[in-house]
Amino acid sequence: MSYLEEIQVKNLDHLGIVAGLIDEIGIVKIINNKLGIDVREKISAGTVVKSILINGLGFVSRPLYLFSQFFQDKAIEKLLGERIKPDYLNDDKIGRVMDELYKYGLNDIFIEVVLEVIKKFKIDLKYSHLDSTSFHLDGEYKREEDKEKQEEEKIIKERPIFIKKGYSRDHRPDLKQCVLDLITSQDGDIPLFVRVGDGNESDKSVFGKVLVEFKKQIKFDSIMVCDSALYGQENLQLIQHLKWITRVPMTIKKAKELVQNIEVEEVKDEDKEKRSDLNLESYTWKEEIVTYGGIKQTWLIVLSEKRQKSDLEKLEKQLSQEEKKSQKFLKEIQSEEFEHPQAARYKLKAINKKLRLLEIKEVELTETYSKKKEKIYKMISLIIKKDEEISRKTKEAGKFILATNLVEENKLEASEILITYKNQQSTERGFRFLKDPLFFTDSFFVEKPERIETMLFLMSLCLLIYNLGQRELRNCLKRVKKGINNQVGKVTLRPTLRWIFQCFQGIHYVILNGVEQIVNLTEERRFILSLLPASCQRYYL
């Protein structure tokens, strides 16, 4: 045997970190306990799930039917176990495991993983954030809807989802879609609850039910944070025994009145420094006790200086655009010849429907004759500003209302309510991760709705692993008070895990004359590994 034939080189890169986090959580064990192990199979269901998660966090856009190719140049036996070959991960095997996961219950499995993470990593659950997004899909996804009755009152449905058109967050109303509801912790953005819904589902109709179901599954005294889709009389009655913070929609009459008439309090000198420390120096507010939907609550009327400036600039721009548009309309209606006075006024009414801040007003309707000696009517009109509407929008600029049912017992400071709501970006960050072009998006070739749900379950597990690893790394950097260089060479205590993954590119697993070695493990990479769980270190050290 030649010298070259005694060397085997496989890529390890950042995948050891991913595999280590999966091991630390115990995902393989949980899956195998749920689905069982068939001794006739070459690879267990838990290991197949682990391979899917490693693939998903490999950030290589590659659909599942090319799945085995992902591991061709990887240290697969190091990552998944001895004697495991890439061709074990064929599409038939993956499809069977996905079907088994769905049949067992995706929600039950996800909740068990989450509970393990909460317990092992001591996740703070004081605040949890709920939001939803949509995923557009190609394909027909035909189902005989008349054979299955949709039970709206059930949150975790036994039937598969309906893939259909609905309100698209991706701005693709031409495509069918499904909806993903996501609850994350404020501590580390850890996904706590995931639910896949029909494509035409409305947030207002399900958010209250989602929170009730979440509290049944995760029995912790968490304050739920949500956007204005939650705020409705039916939902408030449904969640009256839960703690919540949400935004009040401006469609509510009481909210409109408060925003128009109430003046927020000026900041006292002694409070300015405190607000600056909380990064709230550009906010002012006032509290009001309100009863709505039969629930006593605190409404926090907030004025954001930055948002006020932006809203006023938009208002000015809108006014300028309408002035140009209305001049065109004015010229059009004054040059037109009408057979009847009603036709002229009907045309004027239709034009004014297109304007919000201005109005074209009739001054005089004159009777005259056309060149053909036929009686006609011509309208003389002028443009006027809707002062009341402009004044309303000016007063509303920069203002919004937050509501909470924590009024007396466990009452929150106004600053804490505002900071907590601002952290609603927790779920938005999760959605950006799930929709990343380098993620699983290309894998949505699967034709059954059940597979779509299972794919989103696996993607959510990837999000959990990623955010957990990022949280652990940042917490350790904070404890040791030592940062690492980011993409532009500046020292940071809050690196993204994706940057860490990039830092680990070029690490190889080498077998030379039967001796295993990890090469290119620099001091910086060793330092990063020392900040991660022991399960991650075992793949490299």
Side-chain angles (χ1 to χ4, degrees):
M1 183 179 291
S2 70
Y3 177 72
L4 288 176
E5 290 175 326
E6 296 174 4
I7 299 178
Q8 295 182 45
V9 181
K10 295 289 183 180
N11 294 331
L12 185 57
D13 301 326
H14 68 281
L15 301 181
I17 296 176
V18 178
L21 290 168
I22 294 169
D23 296 344
E24 193 74 17
I25 297 169
I27 291 176
V28 173
K29 183 179 179 181
I30 290 171
I31 299 292
N32 285 338
N33 285 343
K34 298 291 186 186
L35 304 186
I37 298 176
D38 189 338
V39 294
R40 297 169 296 177
E41 295 281 358
K42 295 179 180 178
I43 183 170
S44 71
T47 305
V48 170
V49 170
K50 181 179 181 180
S51 71
I52 295 173
L53 300 178
I54 290 173
N55 184 319
L57 289 168
F59 294 108
V60 177
S61 187
R62 205 181 276 254
L64 286 185
Y65 58 81
L66 297 177
F67 191 88
S68 61
Q69 292 183 18
F70 174 82
F71 285 99
Q72 289 293 346
D73 61 346
K74 307 295 189 299
I76 188 169
E77 292 191 43
K78 180 79 172 172
L79 295 167
L80 299 181
E82 293 182 6
R83 294 185 293 278
I84 291 180
K85 306 300 179 187
D87 56 6
Y88 294 176
L89 299 167
N90 55 68
D91 55 351
D92 289 335
K93 177 63 179 178
I94 293 168
R96 287 198 301 273
V97 170
M98 290 177 74
D99 292 341
E100 288 173 20
L101 290 169
Y102 182 86
K103 186 177 179 181
Y104 184 88
L106 303 174
N107 181 63
D108 292 342
I109 298 171
F110 193 84
I111 289 296
E112 184 156 339
V113 172
V114 166
L115 291 174
E116 187 66 26
V117 168
I118 291 169
K119 178 182 176 183
K120 185 173 285 188
F121 296 92
K122 297 179 173 60
I123 308 298
D124 183 1
L125 296 179
K126 182 177 181 180
Y127 296 109
S128 302
H129 298 263
L130 166 65
D131 208 344
S132 70
T133 191
S134 59
F135 286 85
H136 62 266
L137 306 161
D138 298 315
E140 291 298 319
Y141 301 101
K142 292 180 180 178
R143 294 191 56 233
E144 297 179 59
E145 296 183 22
D146 56 326
K147 290 187 178 179
E148 296 192 53
K149 183 179 178 182
Q150 183 171 349
E151 299 177 76
E152 292 184 358
E153 71 276 6
K154 285 189 177 181
I155 288 303
I156 306 304
K157 296 169 284 199
E158 295 178 1
R159 63 163 178 80
I161 56 172
F162 289 118
I163 308 297
K164 56 174 64 178
K165 292 180 181 179
Y167 172 69
S168 175
R169 282 80 164 180
D170 297 332
H171 307 292
R172 290 301 306 270
D174 56 312
L175 295 178
K176 294 180 181 179
Q177 64 178 24
C178 62
V179 170
L180 178 73
D181 299 316
L182 176 67
I183 297 178
T184 61
S185 66
Q186 188 164 303
D187 177 16
D189 301 346
I190 306 299
L192 303 175
F193 187 85
V194 176
R195 173 184 170 273
V196 185
D198 300 337
N200 63 343
E201 189 174 84
S202 165
D203 292 348
K204 291 181 180 180
S205 66
V206 301
F207 269 9
K209 298 171 187 175
V210 169
L211 291 184
V212 170
E213 185 66 28
F214 169 67
K215 293 297 287 188
K216 287 180 184 176
Q217 302 280 355
I218 309 285
K219 299 185 185 301
F220 292 96
D221 195 24
S222 191
I223 298 172
M224 310 307 304
V225 187
C226 189
D227 65 19
S228 59
L230 178 67
Y231 202 88
Q233 295 197 30
E234 187 177 339
N235 279 339
L236 293 184
Q237 287 294 327
L238 197 60
I239 62 170
Q240 60 180 308
H241 301 300
L242 307 181
K243 299 174 183 177
W244 49 263
I245 296 172
T246 186
R247 184 167 175 164
V248 180
M250 284 301 163
T251 52
I252 293 175
K253 184 179 178 182
K254 179 69 174 176
K256 288 180 182 177
E257 291 173 354
L258 281 176
V259 166
Q260 286 292 310
N261 301 320
I262 204 165
E263 293 295 330
V264 296
E265 299 170 348
E266 290 189 14
V267 184
K268 298 176 182 177
D269 291 338
E270 57 267 28
D271 292 335
K272 287 182 179 178
E273 186 176 346
K274 181 181 177 182
R275 293 196 186 188
S276 180
D277 293 339
L278 295 172
N279 198 27
L280 296 177
E281 61 269 25
S282 64
Y283 292 90
T284 49
W285 54 73
K286 186 171 183 180
E287 292 185 55
E288 289 282 317
I289 301 298
V290 173
T291 299
Y292 182 79
I295 308 295
K296 188 179 180 182
Q297 47 201 277
T298 298
W299 278 18
L300 189 68
I301 300 94
V302 183
L303 172 64
S304 164
E305 290 179 8
K306 291 180 181 178
R307 182 171 173 176
Q308 184 183 43
K309 183 181 177 182
S310 174
D311 287 350
L312 290 175
E313 286 174 354
K314 288 178 183 175
L315 180 61
E316 189 176 339
K317 185 178 179 181
Q318 185 183 353
L319 190 57
S320 175
Q321 289 174 343
E322 282 206 7
E323 283 173 350
K324 292 177 183 178
K325 190 190 294 185
S326 58
Q327 287 290 347
K328 183 181 175 182
F329 288 149
L330 181 68
K331 187 176 179 181
E332 179 185 324
I333 199 166
Q334 290 192 145
S335 62
E336 193 166 343
E337 298 176 349
F338 298 96
E339 294 181 359
H340 304 284
Q342 294 89 338
R345 290 180 179 126
Y346 182 82
K347 177 70 177 282
L348 181 62
K349 186 177 180 181
I351 285 175
N352 281 326
K353 283 183 178 179
K354 299 176 183 178
L355 301 173
R356 295 286 180 268
L357 306 175
L358 301 174
E359 182 181 10
I360 298 177
K361 192 169 184 180
E362 176 188 338
V363 175
E364 186 180 0
L365 199 61
T366 61
E367 181 182 310
T368 183
Y369 291 90
S370 68
K371 292 178 181 179
K372 297 180 180 180
K373 306 299 181 182
E374 294 174 343
K375 187 187 286 187
I376 59 167
Y377 295 87
K378 300 199 75 172
M379 179 177 283
I380 299 173
S381 50
L382 57 81
I383 300 169
I384 61 171
K385 288 184 178 180
K386 294 182 181 177
D387 292 328
E388 189 176 327
E389 179 68 11
I390 293 171
S391 174
R392 183 184 69 80
K393 284 186 171 289
T394 302
K395 287 180 179 179
E396 287 181 358
K399 290 180 182 176
F400 58 95
I401 300 177
L402 302 178
T404 178
N405 62 341
L406 299 172
V407 179
E408 295 165 356
E409 189 180 353
N410 301 317
K411 188 179 187 306
L412 298 174
E413 291 288 333
S415 57
E416 187 172 359
I417 295 171
L418 181 54
I419 290 171
T420 302
Y421 186 79
K422 286 176 68 180
N423 285 327
Q424 182 68 359
Q425 293 176 354
S426 170
T427 48
E428 291 296 333
R429 286 189 289 268
F431 294 146
R432 285 197 297 271
F433 176 91
L434 293 172
K435 293 186 176 188
D436 192 300
L438 293 179
F439 198 45
F440 265 134
T441 311
D442 283 351
S443 298
F444 275 165
F445 71 94
V446 288
E447 296 181 356
K448 295 196 297 184
E450 295 92 330
R451 293 274 181 93
I452 294 293
E453 289 190 59
T454 308
M455 183 61 69
L456 283 165
F457 157 78
L458 294 167
M459 290 166 67
S460 300
L461 280 181
C462 284
L463 175 61
L464 186 151
I465 294 161
Y466 180 91
N467 283 351
L468 179 64
Q470 185 167 267
R471 173 186 181 272
E472 290 302 292
L473 177 67
R474 290 176 175 180
N475 286 347
C476 284
L477 285 170
K478 188 176 178 181
R479 282 197 295 270
V480 301
K481 297 179 181 178
K482 184 177 179 182
I484 60 176
N485 290 334
N486 63 12
Q487 294 92 321
V488 295
K490 292 185 178 181
V491 176
T492 178
L493 295 175
R494 293 181 58 80
T496 65
L497 195 62
R498 176 166 293 192
W499 169 241
I500 300 302
F501 288 174
Q502 291 178 10
C503 291
F504 272 65
Q505 295 304 296
I507 295 180
H508 302 297
Y509 174 65
V510 177
I511 301 176
L512 177 60
N513 294 328
V515 179
E516 299 178 3
Q517 298 179 53
I518 304 294
V519 299
N520 295 334
L521 200 58
T522 63
E523 285 302 314
E524 181 186 32
R525 289 166 174 170
R526 288 177 181 273
F527 171 66
I528 293 170
L529 283 173
S530 71
L531 305 171
L532 293 167
S535 297
C536 299
Q537 299 171 24
R538 282 197 290 269
Y539 284 90
Y540 298 92
L541 304 177

